[in-house]
Amino acid sequence: CNAVGPAGTPFQDLSGKPTANAPEWTASFGFSYSFPIQDSLEGRISADGRYSDRYNFTSAYDPIGFQKSYVVLDATASVAAADGRWELALVGKNLTDKRFIGTSWEITNSPAAPGKVDLIGFGNIPRTVEARLTWKY
């Protein structure tokens, strides 16, 4: 709260401030490529990336609620039947292992900070790698 309104009501003037979770710049990119291995097998590779500029993840524009810019990269390499019946894939998510806060909320007078405000946020998942088998019947 940074101001007092009518009848002493506290309020915050956020005129000219960007809305929460609104980076000035974002970008996404990706590609996929398939190639024959044999008559009955196909190889596939793909990658997708996302860039986000710096943003404030709090609704009240808290000065400590800024997320730094980041790039996240996901990739997949697979072998599949040429007829599409099955696919064995190795999938990597967040290969850059960037941690960021997507959304948050404030808790007033929590046990961790009596008389103050706690800022709690939801983060993304860290780097993960998985094997995936898809079978169509």
Side-chain angles (χ1 to χ4, degrees):
C1 170
N2 62 5
V4 178
T9 308
F11 76 96
Q12 187 174 27
D13 183 4
L14 296 176
S15 301
K17 303 283 187 191
T19 51
N21 297 322
E24 187 173 357
W25 292 98
T26 61
S28 61
F29 55 91
F31 77 89
S32 61
Y33 178 69
S34 300
F35 53 94
I37 296 176
Q38 297 177 344
D39 288 342
S40 61
L41 289 179
E42 185 177 87
R44 300 173 184 164
I45 58 171
S46 65
D48 294 294
R50 300 175 305 284
Y51 165 78
S52 176
D53 203 7
R54 177 180 187 259
Y55 61 89
N56 191 293
F57 55 80
T58 67
S59 60
Y61 210 76
D62 192 308
I64 65 167
F66 278 95
Q67 171 61 54
K68 294 179 185 177
S69 63
Y70 59 88
V71 174
V72 175
L73 179 65
D74 303 332
T76 302
S78 66
V79 176
D83 65 3
R85 260 184 86 86
W86 61 267
E87 178 185 42
L88 179 60
L90 185 63
V91 180
K93 301 268 188 172
N94 191 11
L95 295 174
T96 50
D97 201 25
K98 293 297 180 182
R99 309 293 172 98
F100 57 90
I101 302 294
T103 189
S104 69
W105 73 95
E106 296 174 344
I107 297 177
T108 307
N109 268 337
S110 76
K116 298 184 180 176
V117 174
D118 266 349
L119 188 59
I120 298 174
F122 284 113
N124 66 313
I125 61 169
R127 177 187 303 130
T128 60
V129 178
E130 64 184 39
R132 180 183 67 207
L133 175 62
T134 305
W135 185 270
K136 296 178 184 174
Y137 53 94

Coordinates of all heavy atoms in Angstrom, one line a residue, residues 39-81:
D39 N 13.1 -49.1 -44.7 CA 11.7 -49.0 -45.3 C 10.7 -49.0 -44.3 O 9.7 -48.3 -44.4 CB 11.5 -50.3 -46.2 CG 12.3 -50.2 -47.5 OD1 12.8 -49.1 -47.9 OD2 12.5 -51.2 -48.2
S40 N 10.9 -49.6 -43.1 CA 9.8 -49.7 -42.1 C 10.1 -48.8 -40.9 O 9.3 -48.8 -40.0 CB 9.6 -51.2 -41.7 OG 10.8 -51.6 -41.1
L41 N 11.2 -48.1 -40.9 CA 11.6 -47.3 -39.7 C 11.8 -45.8 -40.1 O 12.3 -45.5 -41.2 CB 12.9 -47.8 -39.0 CG 12.8 -49.1 -38.2 CD1 14.1 -49.5 -37.7 CD2 11.8 -49.0 -37.1
E42 N 11.5 -44.9 -39.2 CA 11.7 -43.5 -39.4 C 12.3 -42.9 -38.2 O 12.0 -43.3 -37.0 CB 10.3 -42.9 -39.6 CG 10.3 -41.4 -40.0 CD 8.9 -40.9 -40.2 OE1 8.2 -40.5 -39.3 OE2 8.5 -40.9 -41.4
G43 N 13.3 -42.0 -38.4 CA 13.9 -41.2 -37.3 C 13.2 -39.9 -37.2 O 12.8 -39.3 -38.2
R44 N 13.1 -39.3 -36.0 CA 12.5 -38.0 -35.8 C 13.3 -37.2 -34.8 O 13.6 -37.8 -33.7 CB 11.1 -38.1 -35.4 CG 10.2 -38.9 -36.3 CD 8.8 -39.1 -35.8 NE 8.0 -39.9 -36.7 CZ 6.9 -40.5 -36.3 NH1 6.4 -40.4 -35.1 NH2 6.2 -41.2 -37.2
I45 N 13.5 -36.0 -35.0 CA 14.1 -35.1 -34.0 C 13.3 -33.8 -34.0 O 12.8 -33.4 -35.0 CB 15.6 -34.8 -34.2 CG1 15.9 -34.2 -35.6 CG2 16.4 -36.0 -34.0 CD1 17.3 -33.7 -35.7
S46 N 13.1 -33.2 -32.8 CA 12.4 -31.9 -32.7 C 13.0 -31.2 -31.5 O 13.5 -31.8 -30.6 CB 10.9 -32.2 -32.6 OG 10.6 -32.8 -31.4
A47 N 12.8 -29.9 -31.6 CA 13.2 -29.0 -30.5 C 12.3 -27.8 -30.4 O 11.8 -27.3 -31.5 CB 14.6 -28.6 -30.6
D48 N 12.0 -27.3 -29.2 CA 11.1 -26.2 -29.1 C 11.8 -25.3 -28.0 O 12.3 -25.8 -27.0 CB 9.7 -26.5 -28.6 CG 9.0 -27.3 -29.7 OD1 8.7 -26.7 -30.7 OD2 8.7 -28.5 -29.4
G49 N 11.7 -24.0 -28.1 CA 12.3 -23.1 -27.2 C 11.4 -21.9 -26.9 O 10.6 -21.6 -27.7
R50 N 11.5 -21.4 -25.7 CA 10.8 -20.2 -25.3 C 11.7 -19.2 -24.6 O 12.5 -19.6 -23.8 CB 9.6 -20.6 -24.3 CG 8.7 -21.6 -24.9 CD 7.6 -22.0 -23.8 NE 8.1 -22.6 -22.6 CZ 8.7 -23.8 -22.4 NH1 8.8 -24.6 -23.5 NH2 9.1 -24.2 -21.3
Y51 N 11.5 -17.9 -25.0 CA 12.2 -16.9 -24.3 C 11.2 -15.9 -23.6 O 10.2 -15.6 -24.2 CB 13.0 -16.1 -25.3 CG 13.5 -14.7 -24.8 CD1 14.6 -14.7 -23.9 CD2 12.8 -13.6 -25.0 CE1 15.0 -13.5 -23.3 CE2 13.3 -12.3 -24.5 CZ 14.3 -12.3 -23.7 OH 14.7 -11.1 -23.1
S52 N 11.5 -15.5 -22.4 CA 10.7 -14.5 -21.8 C 11.6 -13.4 -21.2 O 12.6 -13.7 -20.6 CB 9.9 -15.1 -20.6 OG 9.2 -14.1 -19.9
D53 N 11.2 -12.2 -21.5 CA 11.9 -11.0 -20.9 C 11.6 -10.9 -19.4 O 10.7 -11.6 -18.9 CB 11.4 -9.8 -21.7 CG 12.4 -8.6 -21.6 OD1 13.5 -8.8 -21.1 OD2 12.0 -7.5 -22.1
R54 N 12.3 -10.1 -18.7 CA 12.0 -9.8 -17.3 C 10.6 -9.4 -17.1 O 10.0 -8.7 -17.9 CB 13.0 -8.8 -16.9 CG 12.9 -8.3 -15.5 CD 14.0 -7.2 -15.2 NE 14.1 -6.8 -13.9 CZ 13.6 -5.7 -13.4 NH1 13.0 -4.9 -14.1 NH2 13.7 -5.5 -12.1
Y55 N 10.0 -9.8 -16.0 CA 8.6 -9.4 -15.6 C 8.4 -9.5 -14.1 O 9.2 -10.1 -13.4 CB 7.6 -10.2 -16.3 CG 7.6 -11.7 -16.0 CD1 6.9 -12.2 -14.9 CD2 8.3 -12.6 -16.8 CE1 6.9 -13.6 -14.6 CE2 8.4 -13.9 -16.5 CZ 7.7 -14.4 -15.4 OH 7.7 -15.7 -15.1
N56 N 7.4 -8.8 -13.6 CA 7.0 -8.8 -12.2 C 5.9 -9.8 -12.1 O 4.9 -9.7 -12.8 CB 6.6 -7.5 -11.7 CG 6.5 -7.4 -10.2 OD1 5.6 -8.1 -9.6 ND2 7.3 -6.7 -9.5
F57 N 6.0 -10.8 -11.2 CA 5.0 -11.9 -11.1 C 4.0 -11.6 -10.0 O 3.2 -12.5 -9.7 CB 5.7 -13.3 -11.0 CG 6.7 -13.4 -9.8 CD1 6.2 -13.5 -8.5 CD2 8.0 -13.3 -10.1 CE1 7.1 -13.7 -7.5 CE2 8.9 -13.4 -9.0 CZ 8.5 -13.6 -7.7
T58 N 4.0 -10.5 -9.4 CA 3.1 -10.2 -8.3 C 2.0 -9.2 -8.8 O 2.2 -8.4 -9.7 CB 3.8 -9.5 -7.1 OG1 4.2 -8.2 -7.5 CG2 4.9 -10.4 -6.6
S59 N 0.8 -9.4 -8.3 CA -0.3 -8.5 -8.7 C -0.2 -7.1 -8.1 O -0.7 -6.2 -8.7 CB -1.7 -9.1 -8.3 OG -1.7 -9.3 -6.9
A60 N 0.5 -7.0 -7.0 CA 0.7 -5.7 -6.4 C 2.0 -5.0 -6.8 O 2.4 -4.0 -6.2 CB 0.6 -5.8 -4.9
Y61 N 2.7 -5.5 -7.8 CA 4.0 -5.0 -8.3 C 5.0 -4.8 -7.2 O 5.6 -3.8 -7.0 CB 3.7 -3.6 -9.0 CG 4.7 -3.3 -10.1 CD1 4.6 -4.0 -11.3 CD2 5.8 -2.5 -9.9 CE1 5.5 -3.8 -12.3 CE2 6.7 -2.2 -10.9 CZ 6.6 -2.9 -12.1 OH 7.5 -2.7 -13.1
D62 N 5.2 -5.9 -6.4 CA 6.1 -6.0 -5.3 C 7.5 -5.8 -5.9 O 7.9 -6.5 -6.8 CB 6.0 -7.3 -4.6 CG 6.7 -7.3 -3.2 OD1 7.9 -7.0 -3.2 OD2 6.1 -7.6 -2.2
P63 N 8.4 -5.0 -5.3 CA 9.7 -4.7 -5.8 C 10.6 -6.0 -5.8 O 11.5 -6.1 -6.5 CB 10.3 -3.6 -5.0 CG 9.3 -3.3 -3.9 CD 8.1 -4.1 -4.2
I64 N 10.3 -6.9 -4.9 CA 11.1 -8.2 -4.9 C 10.5 -9.3 -5.8 O 11.1 -10.3 -5.8 CB 11.3 -8.7 -3.4 CG1 10.0 -9.2 -2.8 CG2 12.0 -7.7 -2.6 CD1 10.2 -10.0 -1.6
G65 N 9.4 -9.0 -6.5 CA 8.7 -10.0 -7.3 C 9.1 -9.9 -8.7 O 8.3 -10.2 -9.6
F66 N 10.4 -9.7 -9.1 CA 10.8 -9.7 -10.5 C 11.4 -11.0 -10.8 O 12.3 -11.5 -10.1 CB 11.8 -8.5 -10.7 CG 11.1 -7.2 -11.0 CD1 10.9 -6.3 -9.9 CD2 10.6 -6.9 -12.2 CE1 10.2 -5.1 -10.1 CE2 9.9 -5.7 -12.4 CZ 9.7 -4.8 -11.4
Q67 N 11.0 -11.5 -12.0 CA 11.6 -12.7 -12.6 C 12.6 -12.2 -13.6 O 12.3 -11.4 -14.5 CB 10.5 -13.6 -13.2 CG 11.0 -14.7 -14.0 CD 11.9 -15.7 -13.2 OE1 11.4 -16.2 -12.1 NE2 13.1 -15.9 -13.6
K68 N 13.8 -12.8 -13.6 CA 14.8 -12.5 -14.6 C 14.4 -13.1 -15.9 O 13.6 -14.1 -16.0 CB 16.2 -13.0 -14.2 CG 16.8 -12.4 -13.0 CD 18.1 -13.0 -12.7 CE 18.7 -12.5 -11.4 NZ 20.0 -13.2 -11.1
S69 N 14.9 -12.6 -17.0 CA 14.6 -13.2 -18.3 C 15.2 -14.6 -18.4 O 16.2 -14.9 -17.6 CB 15.2 -12.3 -19.4 OG 16.6 -12.3 -19.3
Y70 N 14.7 -15.4 -19.2 CA 15.1 -16.8 -19.3 C 14.8 -17.4 -20.7 O 14.0 -16.9 -21.4 CB 14.5 -17.7 -18.2 CG 13.0 -17.7 -18.2 CD1 12.3 -18.7 -19.0 CD2 12.2 -16.8 -17.5 CE1 10.9 -18.7 -19.0 CE2 10.8 -16.8 -17.5 CZ 10.2 -17.8 -18.3 OH 8.8 -17.8 -18.3
V71 N 15.5 -18.5 -21.0 CA 15.2 -19.3 -22.2 C 15.1 -20.8 -21.7 O 15.9 -21.3 -20.9 CB 16.4 -19.3 -23.2 CG1 16.2 -20.2 -24.3 CG2 16.6 -17.8 -23.7
V72 N 14.0 -21.4 -22.2 CA 13.8 -22.8 -21.9 C 13.8 -23.6 -23.2 O 13.2 -23.2 -24.2 CB 12.4 -23.0 -21.2 CG1 12.1 -24.5 -21.0 CG2 12.4 -22.3 -19.9
L73 N 14.5 -24.8 -23.2 CA 14.6 -25.6 -24.3 C 14.1 -27.0 -24.1 O 14.5 -27.6 -23.1 CB 16.1 -25.7 -24.8 CG 16.4 -26.5 -26.0 CD1 15.8 -25.9 -27.2 CD2 17.9 -26.6 -26.2
D74 N 13.2 -27.5 -25.0 CA 12.7 -28.9 -24.9 C 13.2 -29.6 -26.2 O 13.2 -28.9 -27.2 CB 11.2 -28.9 -24.8 CG 10.6 -28.2 -23.6 OD1 11.4 -28.1 -22.6 OD2 9.5 -27.7 -23.7
A75 N 13.5 -30.9 -26.1 CA 13.9 -31.6 -27.3 C 13.4 -33.1 -27.3 O 13.3 -33.6 -26.2 CB 15.4 -31.6 -27.5
T76 N 13.2 -33.7 -28.4 CA 12.8 -35.1 -28.5 C 13.6 -35.7 -29.7 O 13.7 -35.1 -30.7 CB 11.3 -35.2 -28.8 OG1 10.6 -34.5 -27.8 CG2 10.9 -36.6 -28.9
A77 N 14.0 -36.9 -29.4 CA 14.6 -37.8 -30.5 C 13.9 -39.1 -30.4 O 13.7 -39.7 -29.3 CB 16.1 -38.0 -30.3
S78 N 13.5 -39.6 -31.6 CA 12.7 -40.9 -31.6 C 13.0 -41.7 -32.8 O 13.4 -41.3 -33.8 CB 11.2 -40.6 -31.4 OG 10.7 -39.9 -32.6
V79 N 12.6 -43.0 -32.6 CA 12.5 -44.0 -33.7 C 11.1 -44.5 -33.8 O 10.5 -44.7 -32.7 CB 13.5 -45.1 -33.5 CG1 13.4 -46.2 -34.5 CG2 14.9 -44.6 -33.4
A80 N 10.6 -44.5 -35.0 CA 9.2 -44.9 -35.1 C 8.9 -45.8 -36.3 O 9.8 -45.8 -37.2 CB 8.3 -43.7 -35.3
A81 N 7.9 -46.6 -36.2 CA 7.5 -47.4 -37.4 C 7.0 -46.4 -38.5 O 6.3 -45.4 -38.2 CB 6.4 -48.3 -37.0

